[in-house]
mmCIF file of all heavy atoms in Angstrom:
data_model
loop_
_atom_site.group_PDB
_atom_site.id
_atom_site.type_symbol
_atom_site.label_atom_id
_atom_site.label_comp_id
_atom_site.label_asym_id
_atom_site.label_seq_id
_atom_site.Cartn_x
_atom_site.Cartn_y
_atom_site.Cartn_z
ATOM 1 N N VAL A 22 0.020 17.809 -60.621
ATOM 2 C CA VAL A 22 1.221 17.165 -60.137
ATOM 3 C C VAL A 22 1.873 16.438 -61.311
ATOM 4 O O VAL A 22 3.106 16.545 -61.513
ATOM 5 C CB VAL A 22 0.922 16.192 -58.973
ATOM 6 C CG1 VAL A 22 2.148 15.367 -58.608
ATOM 7 C CG2 VAL A 22 0.402 16.953 -57.753
ATOM 8 N N SER A 23 1.135 15.726 -62.107
ATOM 9 C CA SER A 23 1.676 15.035 -63.264
ATOM 10 C C SER A 23 2.310 16.002 -64.233
ATOM 11 O O SER A 23 3.383 15.733 -64.779
ATOM 12 C CB SER A 23 0.594 14.244 -63.974
ATOM 13 O OG SER A 23 0.163 13.157 -63.157
ATOM 14 N N VAL A 25 3.569 18.999 -63.580
ATOM 15 C CA VAL A 25 4.807 19.520 -62.992
ATOM 16 C C VAL A 25 5.933 18.479 -63.135
ATOM 17 O O VAL A 25 7.045 18.838 -63.568
ATOM 18 C CB VAL A 25 4.598 19.957 -61.497
ATOM 19 C CG1 VAL A 25 5.933 20.173 -60.832
ATOM 20 C CG2 VAL A 25 3.715 21.160 -61.414
ATOM 21 N N ILE A 26 5.655 17.247 -62.784
ATOM 22 C CA ILE A 26 6.675 16.202 -62.914
ATOM 23 C C ILE A 26 7.141 16.075 -64.330
ATOM 24 O O ILE A 26 8.344 15.998 -64.600
ATOM 25 C CB ILE A 26 6.094 14.868 -62.400
ATOM 26 C CG1 ILE A 26 5.893 14.916 -60.904
ATOM 27 C CG2 ILE A 26 7.006 13.685 -62.810
ATOM 28 C CD1 ILE A 26 5.118 13.713 -60.320
ATOM 29 N N TYR A 72 19.251 16.434 -49.670
ATOM 30 C CA TYR A 72 17.822 16.580 -49.492
ATOM 31 C C TYR A 72 17.402 15.989 -48.156
ATOM 32 O O TYR A 72 16.619 16.644 -47.412
ATOM 33 C CB TYR A 72 17.059 15.868 -50.624
ATOM 34 C CG TYR A 72 15.577 16.061 -50.522
ATOM 35 C CD1 TYR A 72 14.965 17.244 -50.852
ATOM 36 C CD2 TYR A 72 14.745 15.002 -50.103
ATOM 37 C CE1 TYR A 72 13.618 17.439 -50.731
ATOM 38 C CE2 TYR A 72 13.385 15.161 -49.986
ATOM 39 C CZ TYR A 72 12.812 16.357 -50.323
ATOM 40 O OH TYR A 72 11.450 16.562 -50.216
ATOM 41 N N LEU A 81 8.111 21.650 -47.978
ATOM 42 C CA LEU A 81 8.016 21.035 -49.330
ATOM 43 C C LEU A 81 7.644 22.101 -50.342
ATOM 44 O O LEU A 81 8.200 22.098 -51.474
ATOM 45 C CB LEU A 81 7.027 19.895 -49.350
ATOM 46 C CG LEU A 81 6.877 19.201 -50.714
ATOM 47 C CD1 LEU A 81 8.204 18.695 -51.231
ATOM 48 C CD2 LEU A 81 5.881 18.049 -50.573
ATOM 49 N N LEU A 85 9.756 22.907 -53.706
ATOM 50 C CA LEU A 85 9.150 22.892 -55.067
ATOM 51 C C LEU A 85 9.379 24.226 -55.777
ATOM 52 O O LEU A 85 9.638 24.220 -56.989
ATOM 53 C CB LEU A 85 7.661 22.548 -54.979
ATOM 54 C CG LEU A 85 7.418 21.126 -54.481
ATOM 55 C CD1 LEU A 85 5.962 20.945 -54.160
ATOM 56 C CD2 LEU A 85 7.931 20.098 -55.437
ATOM 57 N N ARG A 123 14.788 16.844 -57.574
ATOM 58 C CA ARG A 123 13.914 15.728 -58.047
ATOM 59 C C ARG A 123 13.274 15.015 -56.872
ATOM 60 O O ARG A 123 12.120 14.598 -56.951
ATOM 61 C CB ARG A 123 14.721 14.750 -58.886
ATOM 62 C CG ARG A 123 13.904 13.541 -59.356
ATOM 63 C CD ARG A 123 14.711 12.632 -60.252
ATOM 64 N NE ARG A 123 15.045 13.241 -61.475
ATOM 65 C CZ ARG A 123 14.300 13.253 -62.560
ATOM 66 N NH1 ARG A 123 13.116 12.675 -62.521
ATOM 67 N NH2 ARG A 123 14.678 13.799 -63.664
ATOM 68 N N LEU A 124 14.002 14.849 -55.782
ATOM 69 C CA LEU A 124 13.430 14.216 -54.604
ATOM 70 C C LEU A 124 12.279 15.032 -54.016
ATOM 71 O O LEU A 124 11.318 14.474 -53.460
ATOM 72 C CB LEU A 124 14.511 13.951 -53.562
ATOM 73 C CG LEU A 124 15.421 12.812 -53.901
ATOM 74 C CD1 LEU A 124 16.562 12.659 -52.892
ATOM 75 C CD2 LEU A 124 14.687 11.491 -53.994
ATOM 76 N N ALA A 125 12.369 16.356 -54.133
ATOM 77 C CA ALA A 125 11.222 17.176 -53.735
ATOM 78 C C ALA A 125 10.005 16.878 -54.554
ATOM 79 O O ALA A 125 8.876 16.773 -54.045
ATOM 80 C CB ALA A 125 11.567 18.641 -53.810
ATOM 81 N N LEU A 126 10.184 16.647 -55.858
ATOM 82 C CA LEU A 126 9.079 16.285 -56.741
ATOM 83 C C LEU A 126 8.536 14.889 -56.367
ATOM 84 O O LEU A 126 7.329 14.680 -56.373
ATOM 85 C CB LEU A 126 9.484 16.301 -58.183
ATOM 86 C CG LEU A 126 9.785 17.691 -58.766
ATOM 87 C CD1 LEU A 126 10.364 17.554 -60.158
ATOM 88 C CD2 LEU A 126 8.546 18.516 -58.793
ATOM 89 N N MET A 127 9.417 13.977 -56.014
ATOM 90 C CA MET A 127 8.974 12.642 -55.570
ATOM 91 C C MET A 127 8.217 12.746 -54.251
ATOM 92 O O MET A 127 7.248 12.033 -54.016
ATOM 93 C CB MET A 127 10.150 11.693 -55.464
ATOM 94 C CG MET A 127 10.716 11.329 -56.791
ATOM 95 S SD MET A 127 12.092 10.167 -56.616
ATOM 96 C CE MET A 127 11.918 9.273 -58.142
ATOM 97 N N ASP A 128 8.670 13.648 -53.370
ATOM 98 C CA ASP A 128 7.990 13.862 -52.115
ATOM 99 C C ASP A 128 6.569 14.414 -52.394
ATOM 100 O O ASP A 128 5.597 13.971 -51.795
ATOM 101 C CB ASP A 128 8.778 14.841 -51.289
ATOM 102 C CG ASP A 128 8.463 14.793 -49.785
ATOM 103 O OD1 ASP A 128 7.437 14.120 -49.427
ATOM 104 O OD2 ASP A 128 9.180 15.431 -49.010
ATOM 105 N N LEU A 129 6.473 15.382 -53.319
ATOM 106 C CA LEU A 129 5.155 15.888 -53.717
ATOM 107 C C LEU A 129 4.272 14.752 -54.237
ATOM 108 O O LEU A 129 3.111 14.667 -53.842
ATOM 109 C CB LEU A 129 5.347 16.954 -54.814
ATOM 110 C CG LEU A 129 4.019 17.404 -55.519
ATOM 111 C CD1 LEU A 129 3.114 18.128 -54.539
ATOM 112 C CD2 LEU A 129 4.365 18.279 -56.732
ATOM 113 N N ALA A 130 4.827 13.893 -55.083
ATOM 114 C CA ALA A 130 4.045 12.806 -55.615
ATOM 115 C C ALA A 130 3.560 11.881 -54.497
ATOM 116 O O ALA A 130 2.397 11.490 -54.465
ATOM 117 C CB ALA A 130 4.898 11.970 -56.596
ATOM 118 N N ALA A 131 4.454 11.578 -53.540
ATOM 119 C CA ALA A 131 4.069 10.678 -52.468
ATOM 120 C C ALA A 131 2.972 11.330 -51.583
ATOM 121 O O ALA A 131 1.999 10.654 -51.200
ATOM 122 C CB ALA A 131 5.267 10.360 -51.604
ATOM 123 N N GLN A 132 3.155 12.591 -51.299
ATOM 124 C CA GLN A 132 2.168 13.241 -50.375
ATOM 125 C C GLN A 132 0.856 13.571 -51.060
ATOM 126 O O GLN A 132 -0.150 13.817 -50.374
ATOM 127 C CB GLN A 132 2.798 14.518 -49.797
ATOM 128 C CG GLN A 132 3.910 14.194 -48.851
ATOM 129 C CD GLN A 132 4.379 15.407 -48.062
ATOM 130 O OE1 GLN A 132 3.575 16.267 -47.731
ATOM 131 N NE2 GLN A 132 5.660 15.442 -47.747
ATOM 132 N N SER A 133 0.808 13.605 -52.371
ATOM 133 C CA SER A 133 -0.441 13.927 -53.046
ATOM 134 C C SER A 133 -1.238 12.679 -53.415
ATOM 135 O O SER A 133 -2.308 12.814 -53.982
ATOM 136 C CB SER A 133 -0.161 14.762 -54.279
ATOM 137 O OG SER A 133 0.568 14.035 -55.206
ATOM 138 N N CYS A 134 -0.771 11.504 -53.000
ATOM 139 C CA CYS A 134 -1.514 10.282 -53.240
ATOM 140 C C CYS A 134 -2.739 10.194 -52.361
ATOM 141 O O CYS A 134 -2.673 10.423 -51.141
ATOM 142 C CB CYS A 134 -0.642 9.042 -53.006
ATOM 143 S SG CYS A 134 0.744 8.865 -54.159
ATOM 144 N N PRO A 135 -3.922 9.888 -52.905
ATOM 145 C CA PRO A 135 -5.122 9.764 -52.077
ATOM 146 C C PRO A 135 -5.064 8.556 -51.163
ATOM 147 O O PRO A 135 -4.500 7.522 -51.596
ATOM 148 C CB PRO A 135 -6.259 9.674 -53.083
ATOM 149 C CG PRO A 135 -5.641 9.230 -54.365
ATOM 150 C CD PRO A 135 -4.185 9.680 -54.347
ATOM 151 N N ALA A 138 -5.156 4.562 -52.158
ATOM 152 C CA ALA A 138 -4.690 4.356 -53.525
ATOM 153 C C ALA A 138 -3.243 4.778 -53.689
ATOM 154 O O ALA A 138 -2.806 5.191 -54.760
ATOM 155 C CB ALA A 138 -5.581 5.106 -54.526
ATOM 156 N N GLU A 139 -2.483 4.723 -52.597
ATOM 157 C CA GLU A 139 -1.110 5.254 -52.583
ATOM 158 C C GLU A 139 -0.232 4.548 -53.587
ATOM 159 O O GLU A 139 0.482 5.205 -54.350
ATOM 160 C CB GLU A 139 -0.497 5.133 -51.197
ATOM 161 C CG GLU A 139 -1.133 6.043 -50.168
ATOM 162 C CD GLU A 139 -2.260 5.329 -49.380
ATOM 163 O OE1 GLU A 139 -2.749 4.286 -49.849
ATOM 164 O OE2 GLU A 139 -2.648 5.822 -48.316
ATOM 165 N N ALA A 140 -0.245 3.227 -53.617
ATOM 166 C CA ALA A 140 0.660 2.461 -54.475
ATOM 167 C C ALA A 140 0.386 2.737 -55.949
ATOM 168 O O ALA A 140 1.292 2.999 -56.721
ATOM 169 C CB ALA A 140 0.580 0.991 -54.163
ATOM 170 N N VAL A 141 -0.850 2.675 -56.339
ATOM 171 C CA VAL A 141 -1.222 2.881 -57.749
ATOM 172 C C VAL A 141 -0.909 4.304 -58.164
ATOM 173 O O VAL A 141 -0.354 4.551 -59.249
ATOM 174 C CB VAL A 141 -2.726 2.556 -57.965
ATOM 175 C CG1 VAL A 141 -3.179 2.959 -59.341
ATOM 176 C CG2 VAL A 141 -2.951 1.094 -57.767
ATOM 177 N N THR A 142 -1.253 5.305 -57.336
ATOM 178 C CA THR A 142 -1.059 6.674 -57.685
ATOM 179 C C THR A 142 0.440 6.993 -57.777
ATOM 180 O O THR A 142 0.883 7.625 -58.732
ATOM 181 C CB THR A 142 -1.719 7.606 -56.659
ATOM 182 O OG1 THR A 142 -3.119 7.237 -56.529
ATOM 183 C CG2 THR A 142 -1.656 9.042 -57.070
ATOM 184 N N PHE A 143 1.219 6.528 -56.797
ATOM 185 C CA PHE A 143 2.639 6.818 -56.831
ATOM 186 C C PHE A 143 3.280 6.124 -58.067
ATOM 187 O O PHE A 143 4.144 6.720 -58.737
ATOM 188 C CB PHE A 143 3.329 6.381 -55.549
ATOM 189 C CG PHE A 143 4.740 6.890 -55.425
ATOM 190 C CD1 PHE A 143 4.969 8.207 -55.107
ATOM 191 C CD2 PHE A 143 5.821 6.059 -55.665
ATOM 192 C CE1 PHE A 143 6.271 8.693 -55.002
ATOM 193 C CE2 PHE A 143 7.108 6.511 -55.569
ATOM 194 C CZ PHE A 143 7.360 7.851 -55.237
ATOM 195 N N ALA A 144 2.858 4.923 -58.373
ATOM 196 C CA ALA A 144 3.354 4.247 -59.574
ATOM 197 C C ALA A 144 2.994 5.015 -60.830
ATOM 198 O O ALA A 144 3.836 5.087 -61.759
ATOM 199 C CB ALA A 144 2.779 2.808 -59.650
ATOM 200 N N ALA A 145 1.825 5.600 -60.863
ATOM 201 C CA ALA A 145 1.447 6.413 -62.017
ATOM 202 C C ALA A 145 2.349 7.661 -62.118
ATOM 203 O O ALA A 145 2.780 8.013 -63.202
ATOM 204 C CB ALA A 145 -0.006 6.834 -61.926
ATOM 205 N N TYR A 146 2.640 8.269 -60.990
ATOM 206 C CA TYR A 146 3.535 9.434 -60.999
ATOM 207 C C TYR A 146 4.939 9.032 -61.489
ATOM 208 O O TYR A 146 5.587 9.763 -62.211
ATOM 209 C CB TYR A 146 3.638 10.093 -59.641
ATOM 210 C CG TYR A 146 2.407 10.862 -59.202
ATOM 211 C CD1 TYR A 146 1.954 10.818 -57.898
ATOM 212 C CD2 TYR A 146 1.725 11.667 -60.126
ATOM 213 C CE1 TYR A 146 0.813 11.524 -57.524
ATOM 214 C CE2 TYR A 146 0.584 12.393 -59.729
ATOM 215 C CZ TYR A 146 0.144 12.306 -58.434
ATOM 216 O OH TYR A 146 -0.951 13.032 -58.047
ATOM 217 N N MET A 147 5.418 7.887 -61.031
ATOM 218 C CA MET A 147 6.734 7.442 -61.477
ATOM 219 C C MET A 147 6.733 7.136 -62.980
ATOM 220 O O MET A 147 7.726 7.348 -63.658
ATOM 221 C CB MET A 147 7.205 6.194 -60.680
ATOM 222 C CG MET A 147 7.447 6.473 -59.194
ATOM 223 S SD MET A 147 8.589 7.864 -58.885
ATOM 224 C CE MET A 147 7.456 9.168 -58.457
ATOM 225 N N SER A 148 5.579 6.676 -63.508
ATOM 226 C CA SER A 148 5.468 6.494 -64.949
ATOM 227 C C SER A 148 5.565 7.832 -65.662
ATOM 228 O O SER A 148 6.144 7.886 -66.778
ATOM 229 C CB SER A 148 4.135 5.838 -65.258
ATOM 230 O OG SER A 148 4.108 4.526 -64.715
ATOM 231 N N VAL A 149 5.071 8.910 -65.082
ATOM 232 C CA VAL A 149 5.199 10.215 -65.687
ATOM 233 C C VAL A 149 6.667 10.626 -65.726
ATOM 234 O O VAL A 149 7.139 11.167 -66.730
ATOM 235 C CB VAL A 149 4.348 11.271 -64.937
ATOM 236 C CG1 VAL A 149 4.599 12.694 -65.447
ATOM 237 C CG2 VAL A 149 2.871 10.920 -65.029
ATOM 238 N N PHE A 150 7.400 10.377 -64.652
ATOM 239 C CA PHE A 150 8.875 10.636 -64.687
ATOM 240 C C PHE A 150 9.507 9.881 -65.868
ATOM 241 O O PHE A 150 10.297 10.428 -66.623
ATOM 242 C CB PHE A 150 9.544 10.190 -63.395
ATOM 243 C CG PHE A 150 9.514 11.167 -62.289
ATOM 244 C CD1 PHE A 150 8.769 10.944 -61.133
ATOM 245 C CD2 PHE A 150 10.299 12.330 -62.318
ATOM 246 C CE1 PHE A 150 8.744 11.839 -60.106
ATOM 247 C CE2 PHE A 150 10.300 13.220 -61.265
ATOM 248 C CZ PHE A 150 9.538 13.007 -60.132
ATOM 249 N N ALA A 199 -0.732 22.190 -57.941
ATOM 250 C CA ALA A 199 -0.109 20.906 -57.584
ATOM 251 C C ALA A 199 0.031 20.758 -56.078
ATOM 252 O O ALA A 199 0.002 19.643 -55.546
ATOM 253 C CB ALA A 199 1.248 20.786 -58.271
ATOM 254 N N THR A 200 0.209 21.865 -55.377
ATOM 255 C CA THR A 200 0.441 21.770 -53.909
ATOM 256 C C THR A 200 -0.803 22.073 -53.114
ATOM 257 O O THR A 200 -0.792 21.988 -51.892
ATOM 258 C CB THR A 200 1.568 22.755 -53.485
ATOM 259 O OG1 THR A 200 1.190 24.082 -53.828
ATOM 260 C CG2 THR A 200 2.874 22.377 -54.100
ATOM 261 N N LEU A 203 -1.898 19.388 -50.590
ATOM 262 C CA LEU A 203 -0.929 18.854 -49.636
ATOM 263 C C LEU A 203 -1.410 19.077 -48.188
ATOM 264 O O LEU A 203 -1.784 20.193 -47.842
ATOM 265 C CB LEU A 203 0.416 19.491 -49.814
ATOM 266 C CG LEU A 203 1.270 19.084 -50.978
ATOM 267 C CD1 LEU A 203 2.549 19.884 -50.983
ATOM 268 C CD2 LEU A 203 1.534 17.597 -50.944
ATOM 269 N N ARG A 207 1.861 17.268 -42.857
ATOM 270 C CA ARG A 207 2.871 16.344 -43.433
ATOM 271 C C ARG A 207 3.845 17.081 -44.348
ATOM 272 O O ARG A 207 4.752 16.468 -44.886
ATOM 273 C CB ARG A 207 2.184 15.244 -44.200
ATOM 274 C CG ARG A 207 1.418 14.318 -43.359
ATOM 275 C CD ARG A 207 0.694 13.238 -44.161
ATOM 276 N NE ARG A 207 1.225 12.966 -45.468
ATOM 277 C CZ ARG A 207 0.541 12.437 -46.456
ATOM 278 N NH1 ARG A 207 -0.748 12.142 -46.305
ATOM 279 N NH2 ARG A 207 1.113 12.213 -47.631
#
Side-chain angles (χ1 to χ4, degrees):
V22 172
S23 293
V25 168
I26 290 170
Y72 182 74
L81 180 55
L85 294 169
R123 177 177 294 273
L124 286 174
L126 292 172
M127 291 181 150
D128 200 350
L129 169 66
Q132 291 190 35
S133 64
C134 293
E139 293 92 344
V141 170
T142 307
F143 192 76
Y146 288 140
M147 293 307 101
S148 295
V149 173
F150 275 112
T200 59
L203 285 178
R207 291 178 23 204

